[in-house]
Amino acid sequence: MTENDAPEMPDAHSWHIPRLITAWAVAAVIGALVSVFVPVEERFPWLAFAIGASTLVTFALQLGTAQRVGFITRVAASVAGSVLIIAVIDVVGILLLP
C-alpha cells in the first residue's frame, strides 16, 4: 500500500462547533424558560428535564455528523457545557427573580 492509496483520515480535532453551540443554545433557552415560569420550589424536576432534553439534542446533533472519531469527547463537552449553562441560568434566576 503506497501513501497515495491510504484512506483519508478525518480531522481528530474536529469539534463541530456549530453543533455544540446549538445544543448549548437549546439548554440556555430551556433553562431560561424554567427560571422565568417555574416557581423556585418546583424547579429541580424541570431543570432535570432541561438537562435531559439538551442531552437528547446533543446526541441527535452529534450522531448527525456520522463521524466516529471524537464522538465521546464531543458529547461529553456538549453535555457538560449544557449542565453548566443551566446551572448558571438557575443561579442568576434565583438571585434576580423573586
Side-chain angles (χ1 to χ4, degrees):
M1 181 177 252
T2 65
E3 187 175 313
N4 293 338
D5 295 336
E8 198 172 309
M9 296 296 292
D11 182 15
H13 299 290
S14 176
W15 279 82
H16 302 280
I17 298 295
R19 293 174 189 262
L20 289 174
I21 292 172
T22 301
W24 293 339
V26 168
V29 167
I30 296 173
L33 290 173
V34 168
S35 291
V36 170
F37 293 115
V38 177
V40 176
E41 310 81 43
E42 300 173 14
R43 276 196 195 154
F44 184 75
W46 285 100
L47 292 173
F49 166 77
I51 292 169
S54 64
T55 301
L56 290 176
V57 168
T58 293
F59 276 118
L61 291 171
Q62 294 302 325
L63 286 173
T65 66
Q67 183 178 4
R68 293 170 42 187
V69 176
F71 175 77
I72 298 297
T73 306
R74 291 191 313 268
V75 169
S78 183
V79 171
S82 295
V83 169
L84 182 65
I85 288 168
I86 290 171
V88 168
I89 288 173
D90 188 46
V91 168
V92 169
I94 288 172
L95 294 176
L96 296 180
L97 298 173

